[in-house]
Amino acid sequence: MIHDYLPMNRADMNIRGWKQCDFVYVSGDAYVDHPSFGHAIITRLLEAHGYKVGIIAQPDWKDPESIRVLGEPRLGFFVSGGNMDSMVNHYSVSKKRRQQDSYTPGGVMGRRPDYATVVYCNLIRSVYKRVPIIIGGIEASLRRLAHYDYWSDRLKHSILIDSQADLISYGMGERSVVEIADALNSGIDIKDITFIDGTVYKTSSLDSVYDALTLPSYGAMKENKLEYARSYYIQYSNTDPFTGKRLVEPYQDNLYVVQNPPSKPLTTGEMDEVYDLPYMRNYHPSYEEEGGVPAIREIKFSLISNRGCFGACSFCALTFHQGRIIQVRSHDSLVAEAKLLTEEPDFKGYIHDVGGPTADFRSPACEKQLTKGACPNRQCLFPEPCRNLKADHSDYIELLRKLRSLPKVKKVFIRSGIRFDYVLADPSRKFLKELCQYHVSGQLKVAPEHVADKVLSRMGKPQNKVYRQFVKEYKDMNAQLGMKQYLVPYLMSSHPGSGLPEAIELAEYLRDLGYMPEQVQDFYPTPSTISTCMYYTGYDPRTMEKVYVPTNPHEKAMQRALIQYRNPKNYELVEEALKKAGRTDLIGYDKKCLIRPRFSGGGQSAGGKRPGNGQPASGKRPGNGQPAGGYPAARQRDDKPAGKKKTIRNVHKKVKK
């Protein structure tokens, strides 16, 4: 086996002595041969199973020749839109075009189409009429059945129908992709591959479909949003590989989309094998002239230690994609990879992250999940930790100790986020101590998301008192260690359930904290989340209760402005919101007020200063560029692609209580 990048053109194939690829992988991302990229994992896994695999990265979707560069594959095409849904990659929550694509050489925007998976598949089908097409990745996985599409503001078909593909491999895909490849290689027609877990297929008859739940038809869901809410919750309750049922979504009398149960989670040994494959660990050298691929910067010196998340936040799609059962790599595998990092010429001694969707989840939530799966109608941490939850950080502590003891390693950071409620559920505080002492760089980012319990309940997040308890314990631990370190909270505006009163409650909390975020995350309705279902239908699919949903752009702007009420540019929006909510008591000169009144005369400035008072309406002291209270400025989590993270200023100033 040649240890090099996989072929991207005929010349590369000739070097390997290939006349034809077995599979061609078409990706919306540039070719980065690193296990943080789905296309790298799938192609290397297929290679390890003896298949000849080539890659077409970011083909020109307007030119059929771009899909012919490797010729027709012997067995089929695998297609993915990339590491992100192409629409999230292209547009902000306000539907404005982004300026940079971090998964493209030089960060250039426009190298992939909107709805990339659909466009690529239709391009392939226009050139190769009968070749099997299998789609996967986050875009296909979250659009595998009928789904609300925020950008077109309508209910869309299963992506399997619009793309003309033959099969979807949903979820992480390692098991199903190998089974699909082996089935095709054995001579089974793609239309007869209907038996593999973790796949979705089309059929004209249900005669051979057994033990299935029938969802509302696409027509019924389009007519009645409540039907979609009911359908969504059935899907959500069948995402577990041990208890999930086969699902059938009718479209017409002779067209059905069938979702097989999810694939079983990988064992630790299987995870190790996936991450021990011979990756080149960098972007393809052909991109060097364009400045490389920006996304590599954040992940090149990071370690993926787990996948899956039993936190199950309502606005997160992980339940639909990776599932709720935690899968982990062994210490030996992670230490071996860390040693590889230390040999890189540009390694500076810092491992940027050791984690996954949630860094401190290193085992299933309870023993039962290993054999019976996650509870279909209950959550592990919400509304409070389950009595069967095994909250134990000892394995993670041991792993971090091994990594930071390696030669050449100066510091090991944790940046992929921790669950503060899980930290508190652990009766030991050893992890909190070691986290503060060794793994924080002045600021720890956590995600309370909001402070109003009414909103938190819709988010699937713990009550605000839990976050307040963590803030206290974090502060006390740092004081005990003699360290000055701060918390940076991620906050979200306009989530379903949040009206102006709840947005004002959040603003008052920030006032009391003495902190104003530099940027704010507005709720982004991405496909296949509980929150998106609420946004589209106006109902919580878990309870079928009616939910207030802020959809008006102006109200959403007011909610965002309230979180940044000190910014003079937001004055009019904040004033309007307070008046509309009947909270004019927060307009004045008292310390509890959010903004000061404006006068038409009498020397009152447009910035809202009281006559003779030199304090700007922004709440900053003249000459002091720090946020009020000296709280460190927060980064926008937004929907920004990985690799576009901003550095946060490290502010060593006492936070107001």
Side-chain angles (χ1 to χ4, degrees):
M1 182 185 293
I2 298 175
H3 185 213
D4 197 356
Y5 293 90
L6 296 174
M8 293 181 69
N9 51 51
R10 287 282 191 176
D12 293 342
M13 290 173 63
N14 292 336
I15 291 171
R16 291 174 177 250
W18 297 358
K19 292 185 178 180
Q20 186 180 31
C21 293
D22 294 324
F23 291 102
V24 170
Y25 193 111
V26 178
S27 172
D29 291 337
Y31 179 24
V32 182
D33 196 23
H34 188 284
S36 290
F37 287 73
H39 62 250
I41 286 180
I42 297 303
T43 54
R44 287 298 183 185
L45 189 63
L46 288 168
E47 179 190 47
H49 281 78
Y51 294 104
K52 300 173 183 177
V53 188
I55 289 186
I56 301 178
Q58 300 185 317
D60 181 353
W61 67 96
K62 300 169 191 152
D63 181 8
E65 290 303 314
S66 67
I67 215 70
R68 290 191 175 104
V69 293
L70 295 174
E72 181 175 352
R74 181 174 69 90
L75 295 174
F77 280 94
F78 285 98
V79 180
S80 168
N83 263 21
M84 296 177 68
D85 186 285
S86 58
M87 300 304 286
V88 177
N89 180 280
H90 284 172
Y91 300 97
S92 70
V93 65
S94 59
K95 300 183 181 180
K96 293 181 180 177
R97 189 80 169 179
R98 297 189 192 280
Q99 299 302 307
Q100 185 181 46
D101 181 348
S102 293
Y103 295 95
T104 295
V108 175
M109 178 56 74
R111 293 280 182 88
R112 81 183 86 204
D114 288 355
Y115 305 107
T117 303
V118 171
V119 174
Y120 290 151
C121 288
N122 282 302
L123 175 64
I124 294 168
R125 192 58 79 209
S126 71
V127 176
Y128 302 111
K129 303 300 182 185
R130 294 182 178 84
V131 66
I133 301 176
I134 303 98
I135 57 178
I138 191 77
E139 185 165 276
S141 189
L142 301 186
R143 296 171 180 267
R144 59 187 185 257
L145 294 174
H147 55 280
Y148 171 68
D149 182 73
Y150 170 67
W151 302 273
S152 61
D153 192 27
R154 65 187 180 90
L155 192 70
K156 284 202 161 191
H157 301 136
S158 162
I159 193 172
L160 199 56
I161 293 174
D162 292 338
S163 67
Q164 301 186 68
D166 297 289
L167 208 57
I168 298 174
S169 167
Y170 71 88
M172 296 306 286
E174 289 96 346
R175 289 192 188 282
S176 58
V177 160
V178 173
E179 289 185 62
I180 292 166
D182 289 346
L184 288 170
N185 194 44
S186 70
I188 299 176
D189 190 281
I190 187 69
K191 292 181 175 56
D192 295 325
I193 301 178
T194 61
F195 50 86
I196 296 173
D197 286 349
T199 63
V200 182
Y201 64 93
K202 294 175 290 191
T203 183
S204 60
S205 170
L206 297 179
D207 291 346
S208 61
V209 179
Y210 60 94
D211 190 27
L213 297 176
T214 301
L215 302 172
S217 70
Y218 176 75
M221 289 187 286
K222 202 169 182 182
E223 287 289 323
N224 186 348
K225 291 182 179 181
L226 280 177
E227 288 296 295
Y228 175 69
R230 294 189 184 99
S231 175
Y232 177 83
Y233 193 61
I234 294 171
Q235 296 173 45
Y236 183 83
S237 300
N238 285 277
T239 54
D240 184 82
F242 293 93
T243 63
K245 299 289 190 295
R246 205 175 320 277
L247 304 177
V248 172
E249 188 170 74
Y251 280 82
Q252 302 165 11
D253 290 340
N254 61 344
L255 179 59
Y256 305 89
V257 172
V258 182
Q259 174 184 298
N260 287 320
S263 294
K264 295 294 188 290
L266 298 183
T267 65
T268 295
E270 289 168 334
M271 282 276 285
D272 287 352
E273 289 175 6
V274 167
Y275 287 90
D276 291 346
L277 292 169
Y279 305 101
M280 299 302 291
R281 308 191 65 79
N282 208 340
Y283 51 77
H284 194 275
S286 62
Y287 302 138
E288 200 64 56
E289 291 182 2
E290 297 178 80
V293 180
I296 195 68
R297 296 171 195 152
E298 282 298 321
I299 52 90
K300 188 173 183 181
F301 297 114
S302 295
L303 300 172
I304 297 173
S305 72
N306 62 47
R307 65 171 59 160
C309 181
F310 54 76
C313 299
S314 302
F315 48 80
C316 179
L318 272 169
T319 297
F320 256 67
H321 188 58
Q322 291 191 3
R324 292 168 55 194
I325 299 176
I326 303 301
Q327 302 151 71
V328 300
R329 295 169 61 190
S330 70
H331 290 195
D332 289 345
S333 174
L334 286 158
V335 169
E337 185 177 359
K339 288 178 179 177
L340 286 177
L341 300 186
T342 65
E343 298 304 316
E344 293 284 342
D346 51 344
F347 181 70
K348 306 297 183 185
Y350 302 101
I351 294 177
H352 296 164
D353 187 29
V354 183
T358 300
D360 54 331
F361 288 175
R362 279 283 300 172
S363 64
C366 67
E367 297 296 331
K368 178 183 76 67
Q369 289 187 353
L370 294 171
T371 55
K372 297 181 180 178
C375 299
N377 299 311
R378 295 176 61 191
Q379 293 189 24
C380 305
L381 285 168
F382 175 80
E384 57 188 23
C386 174
R387 64 183 181 181
N388 295 320
L389 177 71
K390 183 183 177 183
D392 183 0
H393 289 82
S394 56
D395 179 77
Y396 193 39
I397 292 171
E398 182 184 352
L399 170 62
L400 293 169
R401 287 175 177 174
K402 288 178 181 178
L403 293 171
R404 67 176 186 254
S405 68
L406 290 175
K408 301 183 183 179
V409 173
K410 298 176 184 177
K411 187 99 173 179
V412 178
F413 296 109
I414 299 173
R415 291 180 175 171
S416 55
I418 62 166
R419 280 291 296 231
F420 56 83
D421 48 348
Y422 185 69
V423 173
L424 295 180
D426 187 342
S428 168
R429 290 296 181 263
K430 288 182 181 178
F431 174 68
L432 182 60
K433 181 178 180 181
E434 297 218 359
L435 173 70
C436 296
Q437 192 167 3
Y438 299 110
H439 304 291
V440 177
S441 173
Q443 299 172 138
L444 177 67
K445 304 172 190 68
V446 288
E449 306 295 356
H450 214 280
V451 299
D453 288 341
K454 179 181 175 183
V455 181
L456 292 168
S457 68
R458 299 299 181 190
M459 291 178 161
K461 300 288 287 186
Q463 291 184 334
N464 182 241
K465 66 181 181 182
V466 180
Y467 176 64
R468 290 177 182 268
Q469 177 64 25
F470 180 77
V471 171
K472 179 182 183 303
E473 293 202 23
Y474 179 78
K475 179 182 177 183
D476 292 346
M477 184 62 72
N478 277 289
Q480 178 184 322
L481 295 169
M483 304 179 78
K484 291 184 177 180
Q485 298 186 128
Y486 307 98
L487 285 174
V488 176
Y490 286 139
L491 301 169
M492 186 183 295
S493 64
S494 303
H495 187 276
S498 175
L500 287 178
E502 290 74 32
I504 292 169
E505 183 179 345
L506 179 54
E508 290 186 281
Y509 172 81
L510 294 173
R511 172 203 64 200
D512 296 341
L513 195 62
Y515 166 60
M516 184 184 76
E518 283 190 344
Q519 293 176 303
V520 178
Q521 166 66 55
D522 197 1
F523 168 64
Y524 202 149
T526 55
S528 295
T529 70
I530 289 176
S531 299
T532 298
C533 183
M534 285 190 273
Y535 177 90
Y536 174 57
T537 67
Y539 288 84
D540 188 327
R542 295 165 292 195
T543 62
M544 295 308 292
E545 295 175 336
K546 194 165 180 60
V547 179
Y548 175 76
V549 180
T551 57
N552 181 281
H554 189 65
E555 182 188 348
K556 288 163 70 76
M558 286 192 286
Q559 290 205 27
R560 279 186 74 117
L562 281 163
I563 298 178
Q564 297 174 304
Y565 66 89
R566 288 193 181 100
N567 187 334
K569 294 179 181 178
N570 291 334
Y571 185 93
E572 286 81 6
L573 285 168
V574 174
E575 181 184 43
E576 181 184 353
L578 294 175
K579 289 179 177 178
K580 189 171 182 178
R583 293 299 308 275
T584 54
D585 59 302
L586 296 176
I587 304 174
Y589 300 105
D590 189 89
K591 63 180 181 180
K592 73 177 181 62
C593 294
L594 299 181
I595 57 173
R596 295 174 175 177
R598 283 183 171 173
F599 298 97
S600 56
Q604 176 65 26
S605 73
K609 286 193 277 184
R610 187 178 182 178
N613 185 345
Q615 179 72 3
S618 66
K620 293 182 185 177
R621 289 184 178 181
N624 183 352
Q626 303 298 348
Y631 209 92
R635 162 176 77 78
Q636 181 183 15
R637 182 176 38 166
D638 188 29
D639 20 73
K640 288 190 184 223
K644 187 75 168 105
K645 295 182 180 178
K646 295 183 178 179
T647 303
I648 303 171
R649 296 195 304 272
N650 187 14
V651 182
H652 295 293
K653 189 175 180 183
K654 190 174 180 181
V655 179
K656 291 182 180 179
K657 294 183 181 178

